[in-house]
């Protein structure tokens, strides 16, 4: 699209400021900005902004939802024979090459504030293993144990794709067979200031953010990774995040549990630490499996306790999910896709003065779809409640809870330095 066409499109959506510094850009910069604007669905962005600010019917409708707890299986209470049965079933699936792992590493890691893809972060172990290497070792161990290399699909974003690939190249793919690792890129959406204006992160560039971990399904499809999985005869796909240093990417117990449950999707949970912990919790919403995010749960629901003194909605979703290939196929067939949520983020922006400003409090919406919004498509979801100490040590914040320091301690307690 040329300058005139772009200008009238931006005008229509109240975004003319995007061209405020156009004249100061060189030829390549001008071309790049016009190309970026041409690729943006402004109608969609406007609708997401209106939804976030209550201008369209949105989350208020949640008041009409009915919630109830979703049953779970407590791994710690399983008889040894049952556990062995799950483990054997899962091991069998892995040995037959019917299992794949997906790592979602397209996030911005804003809270951690690391300069580079989050997966390249070193939590300070004496061996200086990165988050990517920690996950790779898990997969390599399982591949060796079950005699089949597990295909590993890594989701990046346009923002961090090149750096992620370069990091793997520089580290020789950590010794993992190169042909068994595939990178795929998720979609992005512009970030919008609380005043409705699209953010520029430099005078010739619109700030876009990855469209949430729910973007994994569309990206698996558009990249050809889903077709690749089908071709390989994959039956179960583990989908997890990059930032939990204790994540078991290839856990035969979970795979066997999923297989034996008859449910199309299985997930691990753990008991939330306290009512305010920043995790989503499993439940049924209007009878369907659902996760209420910590940013969206009511105090009443977060704090509710049963007669036994336990949280009624105490099973935290830890981004540790296992999808059957049929479930992914089903999600992909849903033309409407997943809903978007608006996260409030602190993001540097170009002010009216043409300078880049760094805000000290959130200033913009980032629109994200959540992987667990896909759960509602299914009648059933099999939940395996696991133990926090052995399975969950996320790296979210620079310090305090869920920081490199807490994750490092938990990692060392299990694996040593
Ligand atoms: P978080 O929601 O914790 O986001 O992602 P984040 O990017 O790591 O950190 P903040 O919120 O900006 O501080 C949980 C997992 O989902 C992935 C992340 O990379 C992480 O592994 N994710 C998140 C994506 O792959 N894409 C996204 O768009 C969002």
């Amino acid at each position: 699209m040329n300058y005139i066409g772009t200008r009238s499109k931006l005008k229509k959506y109240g975004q003319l400021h995007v061209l405020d510094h156009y004249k100061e850009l060189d030829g390549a910069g001008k071309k790049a900005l016009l190309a970026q604007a041409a690729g943006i669905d402004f109608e969609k962005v406007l609708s997401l902004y209106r939804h976030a600010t209550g201008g369209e019917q949105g989350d208020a409708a949640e008041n009409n939802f009915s919630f109830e707890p979703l049953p779970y299986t407590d791994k710690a209470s399983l008889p040894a024979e049952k556990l062995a049965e799950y483990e054997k079933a899962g091991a069998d699936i892995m040995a037959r090459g019917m299992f794949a792992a997906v790592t979602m590493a397209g996030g911005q890691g804003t809270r951690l504030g690391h300069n580079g893809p989050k997966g390249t972060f070193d939590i300070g172990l004496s061996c200086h293993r990165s988050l990517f290497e920690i996950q790779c070792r898990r997969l390599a161990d399982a591949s060796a144990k079950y005699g089949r290399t597990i295909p590993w699909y890594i989701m990046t974003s346009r923002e961090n794709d090149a750096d992620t690939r370069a990091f793997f190249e520089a580290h020789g793919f950590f010794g993992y067979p190169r042909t068994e690792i595939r990178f795929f890129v998720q979609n992005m959406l512009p970030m919008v200031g609380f005043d409705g204006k699209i953010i520029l992160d430099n005078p010739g560039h619109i700030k876009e953010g990855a469209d949430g971990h729910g973007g994994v399904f569309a990206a698996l499809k558009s990249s050809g990774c889903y077709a690749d999985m089908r071709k390989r005869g994959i039956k179960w796909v583990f989908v997890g995040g990059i930032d939990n240093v204790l994540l078991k990417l290839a856990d035969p117990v979970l795979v066997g549990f999923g297989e034996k449950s008859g449910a199309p999707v299985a997930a691990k949970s753990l008991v939330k630490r306290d009512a305010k912990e920043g995790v989503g919790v499993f439940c049924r919403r209007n009878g369907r499996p659902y996760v209420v995010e910590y940013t969206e749960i009511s105090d009443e629901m977060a704090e509710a306790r049963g007669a036994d003194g336990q949280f009624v909605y105490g099973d935290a979703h830890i981004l540790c999910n296992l999808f059957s290939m049929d479930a992914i196929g089903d999600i992909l067939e849903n033309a409407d896709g997943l809903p978007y949520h608006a996260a409030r983020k602190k993001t540097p922006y170009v002010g009216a003065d043409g300078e880049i400003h760094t805000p000290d409090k959130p200033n913009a919406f980032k629109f994200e779809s959540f992987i667990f919004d896909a759960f509602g498509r299914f009648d059933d979801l099999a939940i395996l409640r696991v133990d926090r100490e052995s399975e969950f040590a996320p790296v979210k914040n620079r310090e305090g809870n869920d920081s490199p320091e807490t994750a490092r301690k938990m990692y060392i307690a299990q694996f040593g330095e």
Side-chain angles (χ1 to χ4, degrees):
M1 197 182 289
N2 62 15
Y3 177 80
I4 307 276
T6 306
R7 194 174 186 286
S8 69
K9 183 167 150 187
L10 290 169
K11 191 166 180 208
K12 178 172 167 200
Y13 294 102
Q15 304 292 350
L16 260 184
H17 68 287
V18 168
L19 295 176
D20 275 357
H21 310 284
Y22 182 81
K23 291 202 171 71
E24 297 139 36
L25 304 173
D26 62 15
K30 286 179 174 152
K31 221 167 137 187
L33 181 58
L34 295 184
Q36 192 188 14
I40 290 173
D41 181 346
F42 287 94
E43 191 66 47
K44 178 172 175 176
V45 175
L46 182 66
S47 153
L48 291 172
Y49 173 74
R50 286 196 179 135
H51 186 280
T53 50
E56 281 177 9
Q57 179 174 18
D59 296 339
E62 301 227 346
N63 295 334
N64 301 324
F65 290 130
S66 68
F67 294 97
E68 56 190 313
L70 189 60
Y72 61 87
T73 298
D74 187 2
K75 186 178 170 196
S77 319
L78 283 174
E81 314 82 69
K82 201 72 193 157
L83 210 52
E85 181 193 329
Y86 290 153
E87 186 161 358
K88 185 174 175 315
D92 185 49
I93 287 169
M94 291 183 191
R96 288 160 66 199
M98 295 161 78
F99 173 79
V102 173
T103 294
M104 300 182 295
Q108 289 178 309
T110 37
R111 283 168 289 174
L112 183 63
H114 166 57
N115 183 19
K118 203 174 189 178
T120 65
F121 187 74
D122 168 1
I123 58 166
L125 297 168
S126 55
C127 57
H128 297 294
R129 223 165 262 157
S130 62
L131 295 176
F132 277 132
E133 186 176 357
I134 288 173
Q135 294 211 338
C136 191
R137 291 175 75 96
R138 285 273 186 171
L139 287 176
D141 288 350
S143 296
K145 188 163 178 192
Y146 304 113
R148 281 295 273 263
T149 303
I150 296 167
W152 189 17
Y153 300 85
I154 299 171
M155 182 165 83
T156 63
S157 71
R158 288 206 299 276
E159 222 170 7
N160 69 18
D161 184 66
D163 288 347
T164 302
R165 289 174 197 251
F167 187 77
F168 272 80
E169 290 285 352
H171 292 85
F173 291 79
F174 310 108
Y176 210 74
R178 170 73 193 87
T179 52
E180 301 306 302
I181 299 183
R182 269 191 76 159
F183 301 95
F184 64 107
V185 185
Q186 70 175 120
N187 285 325
M188 297 184 95
L189 284 167
M191 291 183 67
V192 180
F194 293 160
D195 59 358
K197 302 283 184 223
I198 281 176
I199 300 279
L200 296 180
D201 54 1
N202 72 52
H205 190 259
I206 293 168
K207 174 70 185 168
E208 293 186 81
D211 66 351
H213 42 57
V216 66
F217 302 109
L220 277 173
K221 187 173 180 190
S222 61
S223 61
C225 289
Y226 173 71
D228 185 59
M229 289 172 178
R230 280 265 177 232
K231 205 169 76 201
R232 289 171 183 258
I234 302 293
K235 186 172 182 199
W236 288 99
V237 184
F238 178 82
V239 185
I242 183 58
D243 51 12
N244 172 9
V245 299
L246 297 183
L247 187 71
K248 293 184 180 172
L249 287 96
D251 181 1
V253 173
L254 178 67
V255 177
F257 172 72
E259 174 78 9
K260 297 281 176 188
S261 71
V265 183
K268 283 184 181 170
S269 73
L270 45 82
V271 181
K272 73 177 177 182
R273 198 161 35 209
D274 53 62
K276 297 275 179 235
E277 185 177 359
V279 286
V281 289
F282 287 98
C283 62
R284 277 192 187 277
R285 190 179 74 168
N286 286 3
R288 318 290 298 171
Y290 189 70
V291 169
V292 197
E293 251 305 51
Y294 68 101
T295 46
E296 297 178 356
I297 196 167
S298 67
D299 288 349
E300 187 192 351
M301 192 171 167
E303 284 158 17
R305 290 186 188 263
D308 56 1
Q310 306 297 313
F311 286 118
V312 175
Y313 299 99
D315 277 271
H317 172 263
I318 52 168
L319 216 54
C320 192
N321 301 317
L322 181 76
F323 293 85
S324 63
M325 278 298 279
D326 289 346
I328 297 178
D330 197 340
I331 294 163
L332 290 174
E333 271 169 31
N334 179 4
D336 291 343
L338 301 178
Y340 287 94
H341 303 248
R344 292 174 148 77
K345 300 264 180 180
K346 268 194 287 193
T347 194
Y349 64 98
V350 175
D353 54 3
E355 299 295 320
I356 298 173
H357 299 262
T358 303
D360 52 13
K361 52 181 197 297
N363 61 323
F365 292 116
K366 178 171 185 278
F367 303 109
E368 299 184 323
S369 62
F370 296 155
I371 191 167
F372 43 74
D373 279 328
F375 295 162
R377 290 196 58 76
F378 307 103
D379 295 332
D380 208 7
L381 173 67
I383 296 180
L384 186 64
R385 184 190 270 188
V386 297
D387 161 47
R388 182 185 289 263
E389 271 59 45
S390 47
E391 306 229 11
F392 192 56
V395 183
K396 297 286 182 195
N397 307 309
R398 250 195 127 62
E399 39 200 36
N401 274 343
D402 300 340
S403 63
E405 192 188 345
T406 56
R408 184 170 61 242
K409 279 194 184 132
M410 289 178 78
Y411 185 90
I412 292 172
Q414 200 174 138
F415 299 106
E417 289 265 357

